Amino acid sequence: MLDGNLDTRAGRLNDRYRHHAAIEVLRRAVSDPDLGRVALVSSFGAESVVLLHMVSRVAPGLPVLFIDTQMLFPETLAYQREVSAKLGLTDVQVITASDTEIAAHDPDGTLHKVNPDACCDFRKTVPLERVLSGYDAWITGRKRFQNGQRAALEFFEPEPPARLRVNPLAHWRPEDVQDYMIENRLPRHPLVAQGYPSIGCAPCTSPVKPGEDPRSGRWRGQEKSECGIHFIGGRMVRGKVSA
């Protein structure tokens, strides 16, 4: 039975794997009894193929959860199919909001223009939470270099009330990501070459100019910098979150 104290478990895991490489953190995480049932959540975005490739090497049958918001770029949907087939991932689950939810919250597909937080909530956070309720931990591709809110990211972090998050790439630098892709000859998301270093939904993602923060094209011109699935308990909050 899992220890109910998330802080204790996260601290114990961070101590246990503090000096391990990313792929070893991932390899051990999928079978460590302190984590329980584990799934990978992937956007199949600009850098997602790194973790997906690692999973294909250590646990190709691990559940991979892909949220289709029904507002993604066509290139992302095609890339998801290509990468899943190429890497031999055997349990990719496509998650969407229900027709009933869409009809109730965004029947004309314009909610993102007036309330992007609400759009992300019902298209991403709520459908994902339904599926993640069956797991004790989930793996993300978050990294310290991505923005200020992630600067102190650890391999393992609590997500109250009852889950842990695993961030195997937390300590990677941008060049580590690129080197891994090159060394393993991994397919790139086609939009990266068009100036999209961070890729979300089509209406809320724009190209990034040289010198800009890689995530500056997400919700450009707004205070918003996260979709919500990476906030504690899925809550839409601002600033630094303390567990």
Side-chain angles (χ1 to χ4, degrees):
M1 183 175 178
L2 291 173
D3 184 335
N5 189 308
L6 294 179
D7 289 327
T8 299
R9 283 169 53 209
R12 188 161 60 226
L13 286 159
N14 280 317
D15 288 341
R16 189 176 303 159
Y17 299 124
R18 188 170 307 280
H19 303 295
H20 285 65
I23 194 165
E24 285 305 310
V25 171
L26 180 62
R27 187 193 309 276
R28 296 167 188 270
V30 298
S31 59
D32 194 302
D34 267 334
L35 282 168
R37 300 161 295 176
V38 183
L40 168 66
V41 176
S42 179
S43 66
F44 285 81
E47 299 175 347
S48 299
V49 73
V50 170
L51 261 185
L52 292 165
H53 180 260
M54 289 182 180
V55 165
S56 76
R57 290 176 58 189
V58 304
L62 187 78
V64 176
L65 312 181
F66 169 61
I67 310 169
D68 179 3
T69 63
Q70 300 179 296
M71 287 192 163
L72 298 176
F73 289 95
E75 291 89 343
T76 297
L77 299 174
Y79 184 65
Q80 181 265 314
R81 294 189 294 268
E82 174 194 358
V83 169
S84 298
K86 182 178 179 66
L87 298 184
L89 301 171
T90 60
D91 190 11
V92 178
Q93 303 174 28
V94 180
I95 302 168
T96 63
S98 69
D99 291 341
T100 301
E101 288 170 322
I102 292 173
H105 298 289
D106 194 16
D108 58 0
T110 61
L111 182 60
H112 65 277
K113 296 180 180 180
V114 295
N115 193 337
D117 278 353
C119 186
C120 286
D121 188 50
F122 98 85
R123 289 184 182 272
K124 287 186 176 182
T125 309
V126 172
L128 179 61
E129 180 60 32
R130 273 199 297 265
V131 178
L132 279 180
S133 63
Y135 295 93
D136 304 301
W138 57 296
I139 300 164
T140 88
R142 297 158 74 223
K143 309 164 195 71
R144 289 183 172 186
F145 72 78
Q146 288 174 321
N147 64 33
Q149 293 180 12
R150 302 180 181 186
L153 200 64
E154 297 286 356
F155 284 142
F156 302 90
E157 58 181 336
E159 185 184 73
R163 270 197 306 269
L164 292 175
R165 281 181 290 191
V166 188
N167 310 301
L169 307 181
H171 305 296
W172 276 33
R173 303 165 300 172
E175 53 267 36
D176 296 326
V177 176
Q178 297 307 313
D179 288 348
Y180 189 94
M181 290 184 183
I182 293 169
E183 290 169 6
N184 291 282
R185 299 180 181 180
L186 300 179
R188 305 296 184 97
H189 193 299
L191 290 179
V192 171
Q194 298 178 38
Y196 293 83
S198 180
I199 303 161
C201 293
C204 299
T205 307
S206 59
V208 172
K209 298 176 182 178
E212 287 188 311
D213 183 281
R215 287 182 63 85
S216 63
R218 305 288 295 275
W219 307 285
R220 186 179 290 279
Q222 303 180 45
E223 293 183 10
K224 185 175 173 64
S225 63
E226 296 273 7
C227 66
I229 66 171
H230 292 304
F231 293 147
I232 297 298
R235 294 182 181 180
M236 305 295 285
V237 297
R238 301 296 186 204
K240 185 174 178 58
V241 177
S242 58

Short mmCIF file of all heavy atoms in Angstrom, two decimals, residues 170-208:
data_model
loop_
_atom_site.label_atom_id
_atom_site.label_comp_id
_atom_site.label_asym_id
_atom_site.label_seq_id
_atom_site.Cartn_x
_atom_site.Cartn_y
_atom_site.Cartn_z
N ALA A 170 13.98 17.05 -15.82
CA ALA A 170 13.98 18.30 -15.06
C ALA A 170 15.29 19.06 -15.18
O ALA A 170 15.31 20.29 -15.31
CB ALA A 170 13.65 18.04 -13.60
N HIS A 171 16.41 18.35 -15.14
CA HIS A 171 17.72 19.01 -15.09
C HIS A 171 18.37 19.17 -16.46
O HIS A 171 19.50 19.65 -16.54
CB HIS A 171 18.65 18.22 -14.17
CG HIS A 171 18.10 18.00 -12.80
ND1 HIS A 171 17.85 19.02 -11.92
CD2 HIS A 171 17.71 16.86 -12.16
CE1 HIS A 171 17.35 18.53 -10.79
NE2 HIS A 171 17.25 17.22 -10.92
N TRP A 172 17.68 18.78 -17.51
CA TRP A 172 18.26 18.88 -18.86
C TRP A 172 18.34 20.32 -19.32
O TRP A 172 17.50 21.15 -18.99
CB TRP A 172 17.44 18.06 -19.84
CG TRP A 172 17.80 16.61 -19.86
CD1 TRP A 172 18.23 15.87 -18.80
CD2 TRP A 172 17.75 15.73 -20.98
NE1 TRP A 172 18.44 14.59 -19.20
CE2 TRP A 172 18.16 14.46 -20.51
CE3 TRP A 172 17.37 15.87 -22.30
CZ2 TRP A 172 18.22 13.35 -21.35
CZ3 TRP A 172 17.43 14.78 -23.14
CH2 TRP A 172 17.86 13.52 -22.67
N ARG A 173 19.35 20.60 -20.13
CA ARG A 173 19.51 21.90 -20.79
C ARG A 173 18.96 21.81 -22.20
O ARG A 173 18.77 20.70 -22.73
CB ARG A 173 21.00 22.27 -20.84
CG ARG A 173 21.69 22.31 -19.48
CD ARG A 173 23.19 22.31 -19.66
NE ARG A 173 23.63 21.11 -20.36
CZ ARG A 173 24.88 20.90 -20.80
NH1 ARG A 173 25.81 21.83 -20.61
NH2 ARG A 173 25.20 19.77 -21.42
N PRO A 174 18.68 22.93 -22.85
CA PRO A 174 18.18 22.88 -24.23
C PRO A 174 19.07 22.06 -25.15
O PRO A 174 18.59 21.30 -26.00
CB PRO A 174 18.14 24.35 -24.65
CG PRO A 174 17.96 25.09 -23.36
CD PRO A 174 18.74 24.31 -22.34
N GLU A 175 20.38 22.19 -24.98
CA GLU A 175 21.30 21.45 -25.85
C GLU A 175 21.25 19.95 -25.60
O GLU A 175 21.51 19.15 -26.52
CB GLU A 175 22.73 21.97 -25.71
CG GLU A 175 23.26 22.03 -24.30
CD GLU A 175 23.07 23.36 -23.63
OE1 GLU A 175 22.03 24.03 -23.88
OE2 GLU A 175 23.97 23.77 -22.85
N ASP A 176 20.90 19.54 -24.38
CA ASP A 176 20.76 18.11 -24.10
C ASP A 176 19.61 17.52 -24.91
O ASP A 176 19.71 16.40 -25.43
CB ASP A 176 20.49 17.88 -22.61
CG ASP A 176 21.65 18.30 -21.73
OD1 ASP A 176 22.81 18.18 -22.17
OD2 ASP A 176 21.40 18.78 -20.61
N VAL A 177 18.51 18.28 -24.98
CA VAL A 177 17.34 17.83 -25.75
C VAL A 177 17.71 17.67 -27.22
O VAL A 177 17.42 16.64 -27.85
CB VAL A 177 16.18 18.83 -25.59
CG1 VAL A 177 15.00 18.42 -26.46
CG2 VAL A 177 15.76 18.94 -24.13
N GLN A 178 18.36 18.69 -27.78
CA GLN A 178 18.71 18.64 -29.20
C GLN A 178 19.72 17.53 -29.48
O GLN A 178 19.61 16.81 -30.49
CB GLN A 178 19.27 20.00 -29.63
CG GLN A 178 18.27 21.14 -29.52
CD GLN A 178 16.96 20.86 -30.23
OE1 GLN A 178 16.96 20.41 -31.38
NE2 GLN A 178 15.86 21.13 -29.56
N ASP A 179 20.70 17.37 -28.60
CA ASP A 179 21.71 16.32 -28.81
C ASP A 179 21.06 14.94 -28.80
O ASP A 179 21.42 14.07 -29.61
CB ASP A 179 22.78 16.39 -27.72
CG ASP A 179 23.71 17.58 -27.87
OD1 ASP A 179 23.67 18.22 -28.94
OD2 ASP A 179 24.45 17.87 -26.91
N TYR A 180 20.12 14.73 -27.89
CA TYR A 180 19.46 13.43 -27.81
C TYR A 180 18.69 13.14 -29.10
O TYR A 180 18.72 12.01 -29.62
CB TYR A 180 18.52 13.38 -26.61
CG TYR A 180 17.95 12.01 -26.33
CD1 TYR A 180 18.57 11.16 -25.42
CD2 TYR A 180 16.80 11.55 -26.97
CE1 TYR A 180 18.06 9.89 -25.15
CE2 TYR A 180 16.29 10.28 -26.73
CZ TYR A 180 16.93 9.46 -25.81
OH TYR A 180 16.42 8.20 -25.56
N MET A 181 17.99 14.13 -29.61
CA MET A 181 17.23 13.94 -30.85
C MET A 181 18.15 13.59 -32.01
O MET A 181 17.86 12.70 -32.81
CB MET A 181 16.43 15.21 -31.17
CG MET A 181 15.28 15.48 -30.25
SD MET A 181 14.36 16.94 -30.83
CE MET A 181 13.12 17.10 -29.56
N ILE A 182 19.27 14.30 -32.09
CA ILE A 182 20.21 14.07 -33.19
C ILE A 182 20.86 12.69 -33.07
O ILE A 182 20.91 11.93 -34.05
CB ILE A 182 21.29 15.17 -33.20
CG1 ILE A 182 20.66 16.52 -33.56
CG2 ILE A 182 22.42 14.82 -34.18
CD1 ILE A 182 21.58 17.70 -33.33
N GLU A 183 21.33 12.36 -31.87
CA GLU A 183 22.02 11.09 -31.68
C GLU A 183 21.12 9.89 -31.95
O GLU A 183 21.58 8.84 -32.40
CB GLU A 183 22.57 11.02 -30.25
CG GLU A 183 23.72 11.97 -30.00
CD GLU A 183 24.08 12.08 -28.53
OE1 GLU A 183 23.50 11.31 -27.73
OE2 GLU A 183 24.92 12.93 -28.17
N ASN A 184 19.83 10.04 -31.68
CA ASN A 184 18.89 8.93 -31.86
C ASN A 184 18.07 9.05 -33.14
O ASN A 184 17.17 8.25 -33.37
CB ASN A 184 17.98 8.82 -30.64
CG ASN A 184 18.72 8.36 -29.40
OD1 ASN A 184 19.00 7.18 -29.24
ND2 ASN A 184 19.05 9.30 -28.52
N ARG A 185 18.38 10.07 -33.94
CA ARG A 185 17.73 10.27 -35.24
C ARG A 185 16.21 10.26 -35.12
O ARG A 185 15.50 9.54 -35.83
CB ARG A 185 18.20 9.21 -36.24
CG ARG A 185 19.70 9.25 -36.50
CD ARG A 185 20.13 8.19 -37.48
NE ARG A 185 21.57 8.23 -37.69
CZ ARG A 185 22.24 7.41 -38.51
NH1 ARG A 185 21.57 6.47 -39.17
NH2 ARG A 185 23.53 7.52 -38.65
N LEU A 186 15.73 11.06 -34.20
CA LEU A 186 14.30 11.09 -33.93
C LEU A 186 13.57 12.07 -34.84
O LEU A 186 14.12 13.14 -35.15
CB LEU A 186 14.06 11.46 -32.46
CG LEU A 186 14.69 10.50 -31.44
CD1 LEU A 186 14.43 10.98 -30.02
CD2 LEU A 186 14.16 9.08 -31.63
N PRO A 187 12.36 11.75 -35.25
CA PRO A 187 11.60 12.66 -36.11
C PRO A 187 11.20 13.93 -35.38
O PRO A 187 10.76 13.88 -34.23
CB PRO A 187 10.37 11.83 -36.51
CG PRO A 187 10.22 10.82 -35.40
CD PRO A 187 11.61 10.51 -34.94
N ARG A 188 11.34 15.08 -36.04
CA ARG A 188 10.99 16.36 -35.43
C ARG A 188 9.55 16.73 -35.77
O ARG A 188 9.03 16.39 -36.84
CB ARG A 188 11.92 17.46 -35.95
CG ARG A 188 13.39 17.19 -35.77
CD ARG A 188 13.77 17.13 -34.29
NE ARG A 188 15.21 16.96 -34.11
CZ ARG A 188 16.05 17.95 -33.88
NH1 ARG A 188 15.61 19.19 -33.81
NH2 ARG A 188 17.33 17.71 -33.71
N HIS A 189 8.92 17.43 -34.86
CA HIS A 189 7.60 17.98 -35.17
C HIS A 189 7.77 18.96 -36.32
O HIS A 189 8.65 19.84 -36.28
CB HIS A 189 7.05 18.71 -33.94
CG HIS A 189 5.59 19.05 -34.02
ND1 HIS A 189 5.07 19.87 -34.99
CD2 HIS A 189 4.54 18.67 -33.25
CE1 HIS A 189 3.77 20.00 -34.82
NE2 HIS A 189 3.42 19.27 -33.76
N PRO A 190 6.98 18.85 -37.38
CA PRO A 190 7.20 19.68 -38.57
C PRO A 190 7.08 21.18 -38.33
O PRO A 190 7.65 21.97 -39.08
CB PRO A 190 6.12 19.18 -39.55
CG PRO A 190 5.11 18.48 -38.71
CD PRO A 190 5.87 17.90 -37.57
N LEU A 191 6.36 21.60 -37.29
CA LEU A 191 6.19 23.03 -37.04
C LEU A 191 7.42 23.68 -36.41
O LEU A 191 7.55 24.90 -36.43
CB LEU A 191 4.97 23.27 -36.15
CG LEU A 191 3.61 23.02 -36.81
CD1 LEU A 191 2.48 23.28 -35.82
CD2 LEU A 191 3.42 23.87 -38.06
N VAL A 192 8.33 22.88 -35.86
CA VAL A 192 9.54 23.45 -35.26
C VAL A 192 10.33 24.22 -36.31
O VAL A 192 10.83 25.33 -36.06
CB VAL A 192 10.40 22.35 -34.62
CG1 VAL A 192 11.75 22.91 -34.19
CG2 VAL A 192 9.67 21.73 -33.42
N ALA A 193 10.44 23.66 -37.49
CA ALA A 193 11.19 24.31 -38.57
C ALA A 193 10.51 25.59 -39.06
O ALA A 193 11.13 26.40 -39.74
CB ALA A 193 11.36 23.34 -39.74
N GLN A 194 9.25 25.77 -38.67
CA GLN A 194 8.52 26.97 -39.08
C GLN A 194 8.48 28.02 -37.96
O GLN A 194 7.73 28.99 -38.04
CB GLN A 194 7.10 26.59 -39.48
CG GLN A 194 7.03 25.63 -40.67
CD GLN A 194 5.60 25.24 -41.03
OE1 GLN A 194 4.68 26.06 -40.96
NE2 GLN A 194 5.41 23.98 -41.40
N GLY A 195 9.30 27.83 -36.92
CA GLY A 195 9.40 28.85 -35.87
C GLY A 195 8.54 28.61 -34.66
O GLY A 195 8.25 29.55 -33.91
N TYR A 196 8.13 27.35 -34.42
CA TYR A 196 7.31 27.02 -33.26
C TYR A 196 8.09 26.11 -32.32
O TYR A 196 8.00 24.88 -32.40
CB TYR A 196 6.03 26.29 -33.70
CG TYR A 196 5.05 27.11 -34.49
CD1 TYR A 196 5.21 27.29 -35.87
CD2 TYR A 196 3.93 27.68 -33.89
CE1 TYR A 196 4.30 28.02 -36.60
CE2 TYR A 196 3.01 28.40 -34.62
CZ TYR A 196 3.20 28.57 -35.97
OH TYR A 196 2.29 29.29 -36.70
N PRO A 197 8.87 26.66 -31.39
CA PRO A 197 9.62 25.81 -30.46
C PRO A 197 8.76 25.23 -29.34
O PRO A 197 9.20 24.31 -28.64
CB PRO A 197 10.67 26.77 -29.88
CG PRO A 197 10.03 28.12 -29.96
CD PRO A 197 9.20 28.09 -31.21
N SER A 198 7.57 25.77 -29.12
CA SER A 198 6.62 25.25 -28.15
C SER A 198 5.25 25.25 -28.82
O SER A 198 4.81 26.28 -29.33
CB SER A 198 6.61 26.12 -26.89
OG SER A 198 5.69 25.61 -25.94
N ILE A 199 4.59 24.09 -28.83
CA ILE A 199 3.41 23.92 -29.68
C ILE A 199 2.22 23.47 -28.85
O ILE A 199 2.26 22.44 -28.17
CB ILE A 199 3.69 22.88 -30.79
CG1 ILE A 199 4.90 23.32 -31.61
CG2 ILE A 199 2.47 22.71 -31.68
CD1 ILE A 199 5.54 22.20 -32.40
N GLY A 200 1.16 24.26 -28.90
CA GLY A 200 -0.08 23.91 -28.22
C GLY A 200 -1.22 23.88 -29.22
O GLY A 200 -1.09 23.38 -30.34
N CYS A 201 -2.35 24.45 -28.83
CA CYS A 201 -3.50 24.52 -29.74
C CYS A 201 -3.25 25.59 -30.81
O CYS A 201 -2.60 26.61 -30.54
CB CYS A 201 -4.77 24.86 -28.95
SG CYS A 201 -5.29 23.55 -27.83
N ALA A 202 -3.80 25.35 -31.98
CA ALA A 202 -3.54 26.26 -33.11
C ALA A 202 -3.97 27.70 -32.84
O ALA A 202 -3.23 28.63 -33.15
CB ALA A 202 -4.22 25.71 -34.36
N PRO A 203 -5.16 27.95 -32.26
CA PRO A 203 -5.58 29.35 -32.08
C PRO A 203 -4.73 30.12 -31.07
O PRO A 203 -4.71 31.35 -31.10
CB PRO A 203 -7.03 29.23 -31.58
CG PRO A 203 -7.47 27.86 -31.92
CD PRO A 203 -6.25 27.02 -31.86
N CYS A 204 -4.04 29.41 -30.16
CA CYS A 204 -3.33 30.07 -29.06
C CYS A 204 -1.81 29.92 -29.16
O CYS A 204 -1.10 30.18 -28.18
CB CYS A 204 -3.82 29.52 -27.73
SG CYS A 204 -5.58 29.79 -27.42
N THR A 205 -1.30 29.51 -30.31
CA THR A 205 0.13 29.33 -30.49
C THR A 205 0.59 30.11 -31.71
O THR A 205 -0.03 30.02 -32.78
CB THR A 205 0.48 27.84 -30.68
OG1 THR A 205 -0.07 27.07 -29.62
CG2 THR A 205 1.99 27.64 -30.71
N SER A 206 1.66 30.87 -31.55
CA SER A 206 2.20 31.66 -32.66
C SER A 206 3.69 31.41 -32.78
O SER A 206 4.34 30.96 -31.84
CB SER A 206 1.93 33.15 -32.42
OG SER A 206 2.52 33.58 -31.22
N PRO A 207 4.28 31.73 -33.94
CA PRO A 207 5.73 31.55 -34.11
C PRO A 207 6.51 32.44 -33.15
O PRO A 207 6.01 33.46 -32.67
CB PRO A 207 5.97 31.97 -35.57
CG PRO A 207 4.64 31.89 -36.23
CD PRO A 207 3.63 32.21 -35.17
N VAL A 208 7.74 32.04 -32.87
CA VAL A 208 8.62 32.76 -31.96
C VAL A 208 9.79 33.34 -32.74
O VAL A 208 10.39 32.66 -33.56
CB VAL A 208 9.13 31.81 -30.85
CG1 VAL A 208 10.19 32.48 -30.01
CG2 VAL A 208 7.96 31.36 -29.97
#
